[in-house]
Amino acid sequence: MTREIAVVAFAQTDHQRTSDDRSEVEMLMPVLHEVLDRTGLKTADIGFTCSGSSDYLAGRAFSFTLALDGVGAWPPISESHVEMDGAWALYEAWTKLLTGDADTALVYAYGKSSPGSLRDVLTRQLDPYYVAPLWPDSIALAALQAQALIDAGETDEPELATIAARSRATDNPHAQLRGPVPQGDYRVRPLRTGDCPPIGDGAAAVILAAGDRARDLCARPAWIRGIDHRIEAHSLGVRDLTDSPSTRLAAEKAGAFERPVDTAELHAPFTAQEVVLRKALRLDDSVRVNPSGGALAANPVMAAGLIRIGEAADRIHLGESDRALGHATSGPCLQQNLVAVLEGDPR
Amino acid sequence: MSKEPVAVVGIGQTKHVAARRDVSIAGLVREASQRALEDAELTWADIDAVVIGKAPDFFEGVMMPELYLADALGAVGKPMLRVHTAGSVGGSTALVAAGLIASRVHGTVLTCAFEKQSESNAMWGLSLPIPFQQPLLAGAGGFFAPHVRAYMRRSGAPDTVGSLVAYKDRRNALKNPYAHLHEHDITLEKVQSSPMLWDPIRYSETCPSSDGACAMVLTDRAGAARAPGPPAWMHGGAMRSEPTLFAGKDAVSPQAGKDCAADVYRQAGIADPRRDIDAVEMYVPFSWYEPMWLENLGFAAAGEGWKLTESGVTELDGDLPVNMSGGVLSSNPIGASGMIRFAEAALQVRGQAGEHQVAGARRALGHAYGGGSQFFSIWLVGAEPPDS
């Protein structure tokens, strides 16, 4: 890896429970304009564009084709799309910049969960022959994981409540939930309302740049020192839900363990998942975890992982962090995980 | 910074059919991938990462199926990416996989694309209920037929050209054991008398709905040196996109397609595609797209593509064979169709295309398009390694 690549700009929407008054393109366009404005770049200046989203949220095939209209893809652009969280679109863009085919990349992601019932929709991610027909929903599966952790003595309900309270005690103006949030009734035991992410709509965008181009575009680029992602078996029955070997391996490959990080943005939609990730990533109490509030404060599906990397990068841009970790997850109970290690130049 | 050269060392396909009721989705992708590994004489353990592609998740009713398919594709503990760029996805998936090697992030990558169309109804899966657009847009044919008419009007092509393409591709398919449609009694008259579906597109000028998968093993220079068979070397690859609908869009010959081809030719050092390229696998789901893409890809001047088709240039024994495998007109597992084009181009330059081999093919083009003729992905492969 001889080419240095950095996150040079990040923008996101104010995440909301519903956005009935706006199409996906209308939700996305202000974010795209904002991230371009931060660097002074125009669409035509961007070398490669990559996005992440899922048709199932929109409830129709090819929903991303219209989102592209919001980018202003004329004259034609070099562009690709992953049907995954935007963090994986960022990964694809990173490899594109490594080849030298492009010096800058625009990465964006969006998700509107409001048109449907997200708990039902996410069941369609499961094994279509043996599991999906039973409609086990996302909270029920996360509850299995939380109970396994409690049974293993790795956490308890009071600790989970503490994670929930800390996550919502954020000053992040984009967060959907801020301030005190009641622990609430059980949704699916042992998870209470406060242990679960809000359902909402939102979008995010990041600009990547290589080498001197990054230094031109950003006073303090967030250099990607390493990025890796790994997937585990799908079936919950063959996984140890109290651990996340894929996160550990991705972190190792991304170089996360070579030196300690000061900040970590973890994509843990459920409180108990933060416990699993902290262990896999060997994060002790000296590390500031999810100053943005994380997915418990705003979880726009398909954008929430990219937002973690963007938030981590922004801490470096602002000089609040020197070495930060961004994490994204996909699939039930942390099946697939991505880890990015970001650093600012020494001060 | 120079890129790592990328080689195709393994190719596998399923026999494409209307309905594979004997396998699950996982069984289907594993079959193609296993064949690609066997071709490369590698095992699952030799694979560093998996890149999978398919067209809309709605076709099988599984959201983000890569999660469920991780086990079947030997991806557990490895990186796995899922690409979706509409109909061009099979090509884009191969290009994303190639990028992992070109960037030296990984050494050997398995890439697979599939569609199991029998699990749903593609006609209605492609009839998009989008506000402010045509309310009755019945399937892909309903969208593309007006553009074909525009081409005929613009080029003055006689209305017999489309049937020639269908007749050729269906005959070529008889030489390809993996092709879905094997119409042994095909005649030009049968094509021309088949029912009109979306005027001017007749039934026999449309692609079938297929179940099928295609997989390739891509590797770096060191991996290619260990390969048991001749590798196909990637000389160029590109993706281009433009918006679906806007004033000034040329739906007959989109700028994104022209730009994509030009980028690939620049990378590969192709000065005159008509002369320098020996065989072409292009994405022709409706017969008239052969002359249209011949122009868009620079094989013929604007308005002249139909003359190449009519004069037999694109026949299997012609000067510029197109869709030797039978093409999308003979097999269309949508998400895999683009990768099949890329893989068939690679088979040609490896000299392993069997009965539909073009003698002495040294450089071949694989092409895919998607959406409302707005996404393009193309690669050019050669029998020799690239110069750099």
Side-chain angles (χ1 to χ4, degrees):
Chain A
M1 313 282 167
T2 52
R3 217 170 187 228
E4 284 192 309
I5 292 155
V7 177
V8 296
F10 168 58
Q12 62 182 315
T13 51
D14 292 340
H15 310 295
Q16 296 177 317
R17 178 62 187 87
T18 64
S19 54
D20 288 347
D21 56 333
R22 272 157 294 156
S23 69
E24 290 163 337
V25 182
E26 289 168 319
M27 183 173 75
L28 190 55
M29 280 194 72
V31 175
L32 294 171
H33 285 296
E34 188 181 335
V35 80
L36 288 167
D37 286 348
R38 295 229 161 131
T39 54
L41 293 172
K42 296 183 168 35
T43 303
D45 302 325
I46 297 289
F48 181 65
T49 300
C50 198
S51 61
S53 67
S54 172
D55 280 347
Y56 258 77
L57 297 175
R60 66 161 184 261
F62 294 164
S63 70
F64 67 92
T65 65
L66 295 174
L68 184 66
D69 294 2
V71 177
W74 185 262
I77 59 172
S78 173
E79 189 262 353
S80 184
H81 173 258
V82 296
E83 189 85 351
M84 307 175 81
D85 187 287
W88 279 267
L90 183 144
Y91 180 87
E92 184 184 327
W94 173 72
T95 64
K96 185 78 172 175
L97 296 193
L98 280 181
T99 64
D101 283 345
D103 293 329
T104 53
L106 171 65
V107 179
Y108 65 92
Y110 63 92
K112 283 180 76 151
S113 299
S114 61
S117 164
L118 187 63
R119 284 173 76 167
D120 290 339
V121 170
L122 289 176
T123 64
R124 305 298 90 191
Q125 282 189 339
L126 304 168
D127 177 327
Y129 303 100
Y130 295 107
V131 185
L134 304 173
W135 295 85
D137 72 49
S138 47
I139 298 180
L141 297 177
L144 281 176
Q145 187 168 31
Q147 190 61 53
L149 278 168
I150 291 172
D151 290 348
E154 305 246 2
T155 191
D156 52 30
E157 291 191 41
E159 188 194 4
L160 299 185
T162 308
I163 292 170
R166 177 180 44 72
S167 299
R168 273 84 182 229
T170 176
D171 57 3
N172 177 0
H174 302 286
Q176 188 177 330
L177 293 184
R178 280 194 304 274
V181 173
Q183 205 178 355
D185 297 330
Y186 287 114
R187 301 289 293 281
V188 179
R189 232 175 243 277
L191 296 179
R192 296 171 184 268
T193 306
D195 294 308
C196 305
I199 293 173
D201 301 350
V206 158
I207 290 178
L208 300 180
D212 289 340
R213 197 89 175 89
R215 293 184 183 91
D216 292 343
L217 296 171
C218 181
R220 191 163 196 257
W223 300 106
I224 299 174
R225 295 299 183 212
I227 181 168
D228 194 88
H229 59 100
R230 301 280 155 167
I231 196 164
E232 295 178 37
H234 183 61
S235 171
L236 300 183
V238 301
R239 285 155 60 189
D240 174 0
L241 297 182
T242 68
D243 196 9
S244 183
S246 57
T247 300
R248 186 177 295 111
L249 184 56
E252 191 184 311
K253 297 286 182 186
F257 301 135
E258 289 166 13
R259 283 191 296 124
V261 296
D262 55 43
T263 306
E265 281 283 343
L266 307 181
H267 185 192
F270 297 91
T271 50
Q273 292 177 344
E274 185 182 303
V275 178
V276 177
L277 293 171
R278 274 177 177 272
K279 183 174 74 172
L281 293 167
R282 301 176 204 161
L283 302 178
D284 60 29
D285 290 341
S286 70
V287 180
R288 195 165 42 149
V289 172
N290 287 347
S292 69
L296 285 162
N299 189 36
V301 179
M302 299 300 135
L306 180 64
I307 291 170
R308 302 282 73 73
I309 298 174
E311 289 280 4
D314 256 359
R315 298 286 157 185
I316 288 169
H317 297 155
L318 295 168
E320 295 170 11
S321 167
D322 292 320
R323 183 171 158 91
L325 184 149
H327 161 265
T329 196
S330 179
C333 300
L334 304 174
Q335 186 193 346
Q336 189 176 19
N337 293 282
L338 178 148
V339 173
V341 178
L342 307 171
E343 278 184 358
D345 285 323
R347 289 176 290 185
Chain B
M1 196 191 110
S2 71
K3 288 187 279 185
E4 178 70 23
V6 179
V8 184
V9 295
I11 295 172
Q13 286 183 61
T14 59
K15 165 78 174 88
H16 309 297
V17 295
R20 278 295 298 273
R21 300 198 195 287
D22 60 320
V23 289
S24 62
I25 299 169
L28 187 74
V29 297
R30 188 161 175 104
E31 192 174 291
S33 300
Q34 188 88 56
R35 286 176 184 164
L37 285 171
E38 284 166 10
D39 185 22
E41 292 184 16
L42 295 176
T43 70
W44 297 97
D46 297 314
I47 298 298
D48 299 320
V50 177
V51 183
I52 184 170
K54 68 175 295 313
D57 293 4
F58 281 90
F59 280 5
E60 288 84 11
V62 188
M63 179 185 185
M64 302 166 73
E66 74 278 4
L67 298 165
Y68 144 69
L69 292 172
D71 304 69
L73 290 171
V76 171
K78 296 175 186 176
M80 186 174 195
L81 277 169
R82 157 71 195 289
V83 180
H84 179 12
T85 64
S88 62
V89 64
S92 307
T93 304
L95 291 181
V96 174
L100 296 178
I101 293 160
S103 62
R104 299 191 175 89
V105 172
H106 294 299
T108 302
V109 176
L110 172 70
T111 185
C112 178
F114 76 98
E115 207 73 69
K116 202 160 188 295
Q117 288 205 56
S118 63
E119 309 264 339
S120 74
N121 184 321
M123 167 85 174
W124 297 111
L126 287 171
S127 302
L128 314 183
I130 297 166
F132 313 119
Q133 291 197 9
Q134 300 92 317
L136 188 63
L137 214 161
F143 183 86
F144 291 119
H147 306 320
V148 171
R149 288 205 151 273
Y151 172 73
M152 295 169 74
R153 190 168 58 248
R154 197 191 285 189
S155 67
D159 60 10
T160 50
V161 173
S163 56
L164 294 176
V165 175
Y167 179 51
K168 164 180 72 77
D169 285 2
R170 295 279 163 80
R171 278 181 292 131
N172 287 350
L174 293 171
K175 299 177 185 297
N176 174 8
Y178 294 109
H180 177 173
L181 297 183
H182 282 157
E183 297 180 327
H184 293 279
D185 55 352
I186 186 82
T187 64
L188 186 56
E189 292 68 35
K190 281 189 177 176
V191 174
Q192 287 169 342
S193 61
S194 66
M196 187 66 80
L197 293 186
W198 302 276
D199 197 353
I201 300 172
R202 292 183 181 277
Y203 177 77
S204 290
E205 297 176 61
T206 68
C207 50
S209 282
S210 313
D211 284 0
C214 179
M216 289 190 285
V217 177
L218 308 183
T219 192
D220 55 15
R221 203 193 306 254
R226 293 190 296 267
W233 292 94
M234 183 172 159
H235 288 236
M239 289 183 257
R240 285 293 184 282
S241 308
E242 66 182 42
T244 324
L245 301 166
F246 66 100
K249 176 173 172 124
D250 186 351
V252 171
S253 188
Q255 189 63 40
K258 293 181 190 174
D259 292 357
C260 192
D263 191 358
V264 171
Y265 299 155
R266 179 189 56 77
Q267 293 173 36
I270 299 285
D272 177 357
R274 173 87 166 80
R275 192 191 64 220
D276 297 344
I277 295 173
D278 302 318
V280 184
E281 281 279 341
M282 66 170 71
Y283 205 101
V284 178
F286 302 101
S287 61
W288 278 93
Y289 273 89
E290 177 179 300
M292 289 165 72
W293 293 146
L294 281 170
E295 297 172 24
N296 190 247
L297 295 173
F299 292 106
E304 302 287 316
W306 63 270
K307 293 175 185 168
L308 292 189
T309 298
E310 194 179 53
S311 64
V313 166
T314 60
E315 295 271 351
L316 186 52
D317 59 358
D319 183 36
L320 181 72
V322 173
N323 289 334
M324 302 71 68
S325 68
V328 180
L329 276 176
S330 304
S331 314
N332 189 28
I334 294 180
S337 291
M339 188 171 289
I340 297 169
R341 308 279 74 69
F342 278 42
E344 286 284 351
L347 279 176
Q348 289 289 342
V349 299
R350 296 170 83 197
Q352 294 180 338
E355 276 192 70
H356 61 286
Q357 175 71 44
V358 173
R362 307 296 289 170
R363 282 188 285 197
L365 193 79
H367 159 268
Y369 86 107
S373 299
Q374 62 182 131
F375 302 120
F376 294 83
S377 60
I378 301 175
W379 84 0
L380 191 133
V381 285
E384 305 295 333
D387 293 335
S388 57

